[in-house]
Amino acid sequence: MDKTKTAALRIFFLILGAVFVIIGLLDKEYINVLNKAVRICLECIGIG
Amino acid sequence: MLIKRIVSFLTVLIAVLILCSCGKNEDRGKYEGPEGFVRDRDYSYRGDGFGGFPSLESFTAGTDDGGIFTSDDLASRDMTLINIWATWCGPCLNEMPELAEFAELLPDSIGFYTLCVDGYEDTDNMASILSKAGYSGKTIISGTGDIGNLVDSAMYVPTTVFVDSSGQIAGSVVGSPRENLAGCYLAALNDALENTGLQRISLPGVTEAESNG
Amino acid sequence: MHRDRMKASGRIQKIRIIIQLCSAVLCNGYLAGLKRGRLFTGKTKAFCVPVLNCYSCPAALGACPIGSLQAVLGSSSGRFPFYVLGTLMLFGVLLGRLVCGFLCPFGLIQELLAKIPVKKISVPKKADRLLRYLKYIVLAVFVILLPSFFRNGLGASLPWFCKYICPAGTLEGGIPLMLLDPGLRDLAGPLFWWKVLLLAVILAGAVFIPRFFCRYMCPLGAFYSLFSRFSLVRMTADRRTCISCGRCGEVCPMGIDPVHQISGAECILCGRCKDVCPASSISYDLPLHAHDPKYRSSSEAGHGASPG
């Protein structure tokens, strides 16, 4: 892949990724993640 | 050539899945797992939960109707059930309709609340789930003190705790029974009542499940 | 002359194993959780780690990105997972599958298993090519589609990959919890035993086929592989100095031919090929070195040139 295309894709995904993260932070999506991560839904880990 | 085949296979698979999921809206909201994955025990795990639950003596709590939940509410009943759930927890949602029916059958001496751990963040979603499940009681959505400790110590969802009139935890059900939900909760309730020195009760139309000790 | 360079073998590997161990400890450092049998509930669990690491492990300090992705996709409020996806994209574009090679604890476990001195199975080329696509199916179907669309009337969904497949979840979450909480053992039904079986098959597979799970099943590896062509950290093989000795291919844990496939979708940038190359043809293509004439991208090294 030529250098310009590589650089362009890198910049694109860096910006897109950062923008997505910011949107998610503003939307408080990280609280969803935190809530899910500190508690266990038994079915989710394949037990019940 | 190979890639084309895989892509077309995936497209067909996805189309089938979407069609299947559209047809799955049953009234009672019961999630039927694939064949062979239904548990054959009536009971979920009963006991002290994981490391025990704190007693509810000193706390403040708010409910979804804008009211408050206090130790007076506990004191006025022989036993109070608190069903702890989360909006993202499939099994919690699945047991909700039957649990709501069970709550309706309970006599006035037994209280019933649900506690939604992300109810404060996701109030609309929580309200929609509760109304679809046919639940007409109260839901605790915020709290401090011992209520906070209770939420912290409920590592698994769903967890239902049985709290006596003085705020002590007399029993709990962790996870959710696949069959005879009402019977399982009744058995757990009766064991909790017995632990507190009270009489066991019976409910119309409910066959109490076998105690699994 | 070139033989002297072979004595430098293992340099990258020595650094890499240390980084892998540090990563495993950082991701699963809450030892008090293992003692008390409780999960860590601190705020760091709002952050996704870059690797496949079950957040239901009592020792876990962060959130699993694949688990989080399913959780947000499957939540009844139907949100688009900006935060999780954005985090994954940043990891992908910055590190790509370097995460697999240097950070993933489950990858480390497979590598340790592959050290067991039994004859490795060489997967026939056709079967291997087909099986490599399986991980994309796992990603598309079990991580994305099923949690997003397969719901009941109340909007309840499931993390399909976590529930039915993930071996890291069984190893780090399911089994430790079963061991630590006796009451939980009552609940172990056919689903639990299916997952234990699957874990056993995958771990056994890793003994005979190095990085078995990474090659054929890991949805996170599949996701990162989409960024391989342009991630910031890459490796190159200079085909003009290559002497076609084949040693790189022999040591590659992912079973690819580094000369042609280095830094591609299947490469985890572990550097084993670099360590054994007698002609020093392989190197890491780090952003700082982009303008150093010593480091040439593989596209410049001559696509059409036949090796040796």
Side-chain angles (χ1 to χ4, degrees):
Chain A
M1 199 167 17
D2 69 273
K3 279 206 184 133
T4 348
K5 202 169 164 194
T6 310
L9 280 166
R10 281 181 188 166
I11 294 177
F12 175 72
F13 278 105
L14 271 170
I15 295 182
L16 189 67
V19 165
F20 272 19
V21 170
I22 291 173
I23 295 179
L25 287 174
L26 292 173
D27 199 25
K28 310 244 173 157
E29 190 183 315
Y30 60 92
I31 295 195
N32 272 22
V33 173
L34 176 63
N35 272 334
K36 185 79 207 284
V38 300
R39 233 160 247 117
I40 303 176
C41 163
L42 288 168
E43 219 176 38
C44 310
I45 52 169
I47 289 186
Chain B
M1 190 53 220
L2 181 65
I3 299 195
K4 271 200 201 155
R5 275 204 231 138
I6 291 184
V7 169
S8 24
F9 167 74
L10 277 177
T11 318
V12 171
L13 181 68
I14 292 167
V16 168
L17 286 170
I18 292 182
L19 288 171
C20 285
S21 61
C22 290
K24 279 256 173 207
N25 281 340
E26 297 172 39
D27 298 336
R28 313 275 304 303
K30 201 183 228 90
Y31 182 79
E32 302 291 328
E35 298 301 307
F37 284 157
V38 174
R39 224 175 36 242
D40 57 359
R41 294 182 68 96
D42 268 353
Y43 235 123
S44 328
Y45 159 63
R46 210 162 35 102
D48 281 332
F50 214 25
F53 296 106
S55 51
L56 295 181
E57 282 157 23
S58 153
F59 64 92
T60 60
T63 54
D64 57 340
D65 57 358
I68 53 170
F69 171 69
T70 65
S71 28
D72 289 337
D73 294 305
L74 289 176
S76 62
R77 305 275 167 80
D78 284 343
M79 192 69 63
T80 305
L81 281 76
I82 304 182
N83 172 255
I84 303 169
W85 63 285
T87 59
W88 44 258
C89 166
C92 303
L93 270 60
N94 287 331
E95 72 167 2
M96 199 72 76
E98 282 181 77
L99 206 54
E101 283 179 9
F102 176 74
E104 301 270 314
L105 295 173
L106 293 170
D108 289 339
S109 57
I110 311 286
F112 189 97
Y113 293 83
T114 77
L115 191 160
C116 183
V117 298
D118 55 344
Y120 205 74
E121 283 103 29
D122 230 343
T123 322
D124 293 332
N125 189 28
M126 174 198 77
S128 138
I129 292 170
L130 289 169
S131 77
K132 276 193 209 163
Y135 177 66
S136 51
K138 296 196 188 169
T139 297
I140 303 165
I141 56 172
S142 64
T144 59
D146 287 337
I147 280 281
N149 294 340
L150 176 68
V151 170
D152 280 342
S153 49
M155 213 174 67
Y156 298 104
V157 277
T159 294
T160 305
V161 292
F162 300 87
V163 194
D164 69 16
S165 47
S166 61
Q168 307 300 312
I169 309 289
S172 66
V173 173
V174 171
S176 139
R178 291 282 175 118
E179 293 168 9
N180 193 11
L181 184 137
C184 293
Y185 277 109
L186 180 59
L189 169 62
N190 278 331
D191 286 350
L193 285 166
E194 217 174 280
N195 280 346
T196 334
L198 293 167
Q199 287 273 0
R200 300 178 79 92
I201 65 168
S202 65
L203 296 175
V206 179
T207 323
E208 190 169 325
E210 290 274 314
S211 181
N212 75 345
Chain C
M1 268 191 306
H2 291 302
R3 260 175 252 262
D4 296 330
R5 297 204 201 269
M6 278 192 68
K7 288 198 185 152
S9 68
R11 231 175 49 207
I12 303 272
Q13 302 318 299
K14 290 195 182 115
I15 302 172
R16 191 168 73 92
I17 183 80
I18 293 176
I19 296 180
Q20 282 177 304
L21 288 168
C22 287
S23 173
V25 166
L26 268 173
C27 290
N28 292 299
Y30 189 58
L31 296 175
L34 286 173
K35 236 178 72 177
R36 295 169 54 212
R38 296 198 62 83
L39 293 189
F40 177 70
T41 54
K43 296 284 193 285
T44 53
K45 275 200 154 169
F47 298 103
C48 294
V49 293
V51 295
L52 198 70
N53 203 62
C54 187
Y55 48 27
S56 295
C57 172
L61 290 169
C64 174
I66 294 288
S68 304
L69 194 57
Q70 291 162 85
V72 179
L73 285 170
S75 74
S76 18
S77 48
R79 340 159 85 108
F80 183 84
F82 286 109
Y83 170 67
V84 181
L85 196 55
T87 311
L88 281 171
M89 279 186 196
L90 289 176
F91 287 138
V93 75
L94 291 171
L95 302 170
R97 281 197 95 170
L98 186 75
V99 172
C100 306
F102 275 74
L103 300 176
C104 184
F106 199 67
L108 173 61
I109 290 170
Q110 289 171 81
E111 285 187 2
L112 294 173
L113 285 169
K115 282 198 193 297
I116 295 175
V118 293
K119 187 162 191 309
K120 305 300 168 197
I121 297 176
S122 172
V123 183
K125 276 205 173 0
K126 278 198 177 159
D128 179 79
R129 275 196 61 211
L130 217 71
L131 285 172
R132 301 267 177 178
Y133 286 111
L134 183 62
K135 54 184 183 289
Y136 297 98
I137 296 179
V138 172
L139 174 64
V141 174
F142 287 86
V143 176
I144 300 175
L145 290 173
L146 288 174
S148 301
F149 295 115
F150 215 73
R151 300 169 192 272
N152 70 7
L154 286 174
S157 178
L158 276 182
W160 286 74
F161 175 74
C162 297
K163 179 173 174 180
Y164 292 113
I165 303 180
C166 187
T170 317
L171 185 65
E172 298 167 4
I175 291 177
L177 288 169
M178 281 289 183
L179 292 173
L180 292 167
D181 183 13
L184 216 53
R185 292 174 207 160
D186 282 345
L187 292 178
L191 177 60
F192 179 70
W193 294 112
W194 155 252
K195 294 208 60 201
V196 169
L197 177 67
L198 189 56
L199 173 68
V201 166
I202 289 172
L203 293 181
V207 174
F208 296 97
I209 302 172
R211 291 250 179 183
F212 174 72
F213 182 74
C214 309
R215 292 188 196 193
Y216 304 128
M217 295 176 71
C218 183
L220 189 54
F223 179 83
Y224 286 145
S225 75
L226 301 172
F227 294 81
S228 287
R229 283 269 144 239
F230 53 90
S231 61
L232 222 58
V233 178
R234 310 199 66 232
M235 290 181 81
T236 56
D238 189 347
R239 278 188 246 167
R240 296 171 318 164
T241 56
C242 171
I243 59 169
S244 302
C245 65
R247 280 188 201 113
C248 54
E250 278 169 29
V251 298
C252 176
M254 291 298 281
I256 59 172
D257 171 21
V259 177
H260 296 98
Q261 295 172 289
I262 198 168
S263 239
E266 296 300 314
C267 174
I268 56 173
L269 303 170
C270 68
R272 284 231 193 120
C273 49
K274 174 176 161 61
D275 277 341
V276 302
C277 178
S280 294
S281 305
I282 298 179
S283 51
Y284 280 94
D285 201 6
L286 300 171
L288 298 165
H289 292 140
H291 301 295
D292 189 328
K294 227 193 334 178
Y295 297 87
R296 268 194 191 74
S297 67
S298 41
S299 56
E300 289 176 41
H303 268 302
S306 48

